[in-house]
Amino acid sequence: MQPTPHFVKLVITTGDPAGIGPEVSLAAAKEFLTEQPNVQITLLGDASLFRNSSGENLSTLEHLKIESISLGAPSIPGLLNPANAQYVLNLLDHASDACLHGDFDAMVTAPVQKSLINNAGIPFTGHTEYLAQRCNTQHVVMMLCAPLPAGFLGIKSHRDLRVALASTHLPLRDVSASLSYELLFETIQIVNQDLHEKFGSAKPVIRVAGLNPHAGESGYLGREEIEMIAPAIESAKQQGIDVSGPYPGDTMFDASALEHVDAFIAMYHDQGLAPFKFVTFGGGVNVTLGLPIIRTSVDHGTALDIAGKGIADSGSMLEALRLAYELALNQRKLS
């Protein structure tokens, strides 16, 4: 008798019902199941969002399950409804609790509309911060990942571009005050630890950006590099972490660095994500580092203007599933 395969169990929170989340979640799940026979995928969301116009009975698809969670109100594609704000959070609560309990190996999140949740009177700055609170984790790190093919910008072999952020969804005027030596030191530690424990990098190589133009130019353009960033890097080096910087933000991402750097740490959102998204063409994946669970996500928004039209690209969700699967396998090997 053949042994029963140990399936990797993934759960997808399908996001705001008015956006493209439900459709790209279903499309990507079906495609990924053709790639990996030892995966079970559960879609969380109201069952009405997954009705297939072709008449296909989704319940007959092997290894795909829809776990229905009721909407707060009927949903129309492209039209936000504050009555569904709590529904969106219910998806996150259910998935994160189930992952903490060990029912799933990883969770993958479709996009949500932050303004909808806030307009409903519920403070919400993003998935990263919400899941940190949900998992009772003080410090997490947002990191974007995308595969780069051999030959891209002259790189000799396939590499993964990874960009982590020291701060996330903040107004630019608040970034400097949010940074500290302690936060940056912990950020480097978290990135290094998860690159090793979840991504399987034996000795991760990390680059850290400065905050100011020219990395402060020896204090002439700002002292954050001297007072916070460089000391944090030095402390990390003393722990044996292979980290360097601070680099000027406009030169940190040089093509030659792609050959050997495992992760770049940017000081603020657009410093890291503008170059990342320019070269990854919407194929990126968002990963939350530092959580006791694995969480990946698409790197795009709800795309309300094309929701329900059947033209949404599910490529980022497919990459998010692929990475969640890979991280789950890596963690299983190390456990």
Side-chain angles (χ1 to χ4, degrees):
M1 179 181 292
Q2 292 293 326
T4 302
H6 187 180
F7 289 106
V8 173
K9 297 180 180 180
L10 306 178
V11 59
I12 304 177
T13 61
T14 55
D16 195 292
I20 63 172
E23 57 189 287
V24 298
S25 297
L26 177 58
K30 290 166 66 177
E31 184 170 353
F32 188 59
L33 287 171
T34 67
E35 299 177 4
Q36 296 294 346
N38 66 327
V39 175
Q40 291 179 341
I41 298 177
T42 298
L43 297 177
L44 292 184
D46 193 284
S48 66
L49 301 173
F50 308 107
R51 291 191 182 121
N52 194 301
S53 59
S54 67
E56 180 182 24
N57 184 358
L58 299 178
S59 65
T60 65
L61 294 179
E62 192 175 10
H63 302 162
L64 178 62
K65 175 185 176 184
I66 294 173
E67 188 168 336
S68 187
I69 293 179
S70 297
L71 288 164
S75 179
I76 300 172
L79 186 62
L80 294 173
N81 188 339
N84 284 320
Q86 187 58 54
Y87 159 83
V88 172
L89 297 182
N90 289 344
L91 302 182
L92 298 177
D93 293 349
H94 185 95
S96 57
D97 287 351
C99 286
L100 287 168
H101 192 258
D103 297 331
F104 298 107
D105 296 299
M107 65 181 288
V108 182
T109 58
V112 301
Q113 193 81 13
K114 299 182 187 70
S115 61
L116 172 83
I117 301 171
N118 284 292
N119 289 341
I122 306 170
F124 183 84
T125 55
H127 278 108
T128 303
E129 298 84 356
Y130 186 82
L131 291 173
Q133 183 178 20
R134 189 77 189 172
C135 295
N136 196 28
T137 304
Q138 283 194 328
H139 188 178
V140 296
V141 177
M142 177 179 173
M143 186 169 79
L144 274 289
C145 311
L148 299 179
F152 182 79
L153 294 179
I155 61 175
K156 297 175 183 177
S157 59
H158 165 95
R159 291 289 294 177
D160 289 322
L161 175 61
R162 304 185 185 105
V163 179
L165 304 178
S167 62
T168 52
H169 303 106
L170 290 175
L172 191 56
R173 67 178 179 271
D174 297 337
V175 170
S176 178
S178 76
L179 302 176
S180 66
Y181 160 82
E182 292 80 10
L183 179 138
L184 295 170
F185 182 33
E186 288 178 8
T187 297
I188 296 169
Q189 291 176 308
I190 290 170
V191 171
N192 181 74
Q193 180 175 317
D194 273 18
L195 285 175
H196 174 64
E197 294 183 358
K198 292 180 180 175
F199 287 80
S201 298
K203 181 71 173 176
V205 177
I206 301 169
R207 274 193 174 195
V208 179
L211 174 66
N212 299 292
H214 304 173
E217 204 164 291
S218 301
Y220 179 72
L221 295 176
R223 296 192 58 81
E224 288 88 351
E225 288 78 9
I226 295 172
E227 296 173 359
M228 297 186 293
I229 304 174
I233 292 170
E234 287 306 309
S235 294
K237 285 181 177 179
Q238 291 173 14
Q239 287 193 339
I241 298 175
D242 190 347
V243 58
S244 59
Y247 294 89
D250 60 349
T251 60
M252 181 171 75
F253 296 94
D254 68 272
S256 63
L258 298 177
E259 296 279 8
H260 65 277
V261 175
D262 293 294
F264 300 84
I265 299 178
M267 290 297 105
Y268 58 93
H269 188 279
D270 287 10
Q271 183 190 52
L273 298 196
F276 176 88
K277 291 191 176 184
F278 179 71
V279 301
T280 57
F281 309 109
V285 179
N286 185 349
V287 185
T288 305
L289 306 181
L291 289 175
I293 62 175
I294 295 170
R295 177 258 172 167
T296 68
S297 182
V298 297
D299 73 341
H300 58 72
T302 50
L304 297 170
D305 56 325
I306 62 171
K309 298 180 180 179
I311 59 174
D313 186 350
S314 59
S316 182
M317 177 59 77
L318 180 59
E319 290 296 337
L321 285 167
R322 288 169 174 161
L323 183 57
Y325 173 79
E326 177 187 332
L327 298 183
L329 287 182
N330 288 340
Q331 190 154 285
R332 198 178 277 180
K333 291 174 185 175
L334 292 170
S335 61

